[in-house]
Amino acid sequence: MRYLIAKLSFLTPMKWCFGLIISIGLWNGSASFAQNNSERVQETQLPKTDFYDYRGTHGLSTALGSAVINGDYANPEFGIYMGFGYKKSIIPHVNVNLTFNKFNLVYKDLFNKGFMSFDLNAEVLVFPHERFSPFLFFGGGANASNYFEAVDPKMQGGLGLEYIIYEGLSFRIFGDYNHVFSDALDGKIYGDADDVYWRMDCGLNFYFGGAKKKAKLLNAVPTIIKTNPIPADN
């Protein structure tokens, strides 16, 4: 009888010890889960600001490539093309840009003439918060021969790829289609179709601005302590 009582008296403290260990483990697990969940909530609440690190709200662009006409003569050839521009971001996905372009349109052994264009485009960036992103643009403008001997309205659209080399600096390749509302671009009027030309080029974008917008976005987010506080250990 004494042996049985001694055994039971030994088991009771052991049960309490096991119960205490399990309780502490469950409490620590709950606290850890709450903390991890709070961190996940905080991450989902933080706005994406990579756009302002990689790119920015303003940009200056350069381009160098070639242009080729599709007009009323046979045997078109590629002529040299260069461009300079400025862009302003409305939101990270969308910007408006104005470019000045200088290029030659050429037919083999027949025609080689210089032109200018002033293009106003809306540009859509597919992945503005990533280093690599496709983009597309469309808009209108004016096409002019050298010395403004002839000026015609035009519309254009294009596609391209951009890669951020370093924060604030990107490399771009793109091509665009340009429809001039005139059939006299190459000096010959034939049929009812207007003259068009294509441009293919590569260039650099120099981005700047956006630090204030980034700070404003981050300051507007409640801290994790305010939104989901974790009780301190007692």
Side-chain angles (χ1 to χ4, degrees):
M1 190 67 175
R2 288 181 181 178
Y3 173 76
L4 181 59
I5 294 173
K7 188 174 181 180
L8 290 174
S9 62
F10 172 76
L11 288 176
T12 300
M14 291 294 292
K15 289 181 179 179
W16 279 103
C17 289
F18 278 118
L20 181 62
I21 292 172
I22 292 172
S23 298
I24 292 173
L26 290 174
W27 186 89
N28 286 334
S30 299
S32 177
F33 174 80
Q35 183 174 0
N36 292 336
N37 186 57
S38 299
E39 290 174 355
R40 285 194 294 270
V41 169
Q42 184 185 30
E43 290 177 359
T44 58
Q45 289 177 342
L46 286 177
K48 282 185 171 291
T49 59
D50 295 319
F51 170 80
Y52 302 103
D53 296 324
Y54 292 147
R55 293 175 174 88
T57 52
H58 302 269
L60 299 175
S61 62
T62 64
L64 181 65
S66 60
V68 61
I69 188 172
N70 181 8
D72 299 312
Y73 293 105
N75 301 319
E77 293 187 340
F78 288 95
I80 192 168
Y81 156 69
M82 65 182 70
F84 306 92
Y86 165 78
K87 64 175 58 184
K88 173 68 171 69
S89 293
I90 308 303
I91 58 174
H93 281 282
V94 179
N95 70 74
V96 292
N97 57 76
L98 178 66
T99 61
F100 168 74
N101 309 281
K102 185 73 179 70
F103 54 97
N104 278 36
L105 298 178
V106 181
Y107 287 105
K108 184 178 180 180
D109 301 326
L110 182 64
F111 181 89
N112 189 337
K113 190 173 182 179
F115 291 89
M116 300 173 286
S117 78
F118 303 86
D119 301 350
L120 179 64
N121 290 311
E123 180 179 292
V124 179
L125 200 60
V126 180
F127 305 124
H129 301 287
E130 306 295 335
R131 284 186 176 272
F132 176 80
S133 177
F135 62 91
L136 59 93
F137 57 93
F138 53 91
N143 195 83
S145 58
N146 282 353
Y147 309 108
F148 295 94
E149 295 173 351
V151 180
D152 300 296
K154 66 185 285 284
M155 61 182 297
Q156 67 279 335
L159 300 168
L161 300 171
E162 178 180 58
Y163 179 74
I164 301 297
I165 303 171
Y166 187 75
E167 291 181 359
L169 176 64
S170 74
F171 174 78
R172 290 156 61 99
I173 57 173
F174 58 96
D176 61 13
Y177 168 84
N178 298 265
H179 184 110
V180 181
F181 294 102
S182 172
D183 189 28
L185 191 64
D186 54 11
K188 180 181 179 180
I189 299 176
Y190 181 79
D192 298 327
D194 293 328
D195 293 332
V196 303
Y197 58 87
W198 298 81
R199 294 187 298 219
M200 292 71 67
D201 49 277
C202 61
L204 298 174
N205 269 1
F206 302 91
Y207 290 105
F208 57 96
K212 290 183 178 180
K213 283 195 173 183
K214 177 182 176 181
K216 185 177 180 180
L217 285 172
L218 293 176
N219 290 335
V221 178
T223 62
I224 187 65
I225 296 175
K226 293 180 180 178
T227 57
N228 198 358
I230 300 173
D233 295 339
N234 293 323

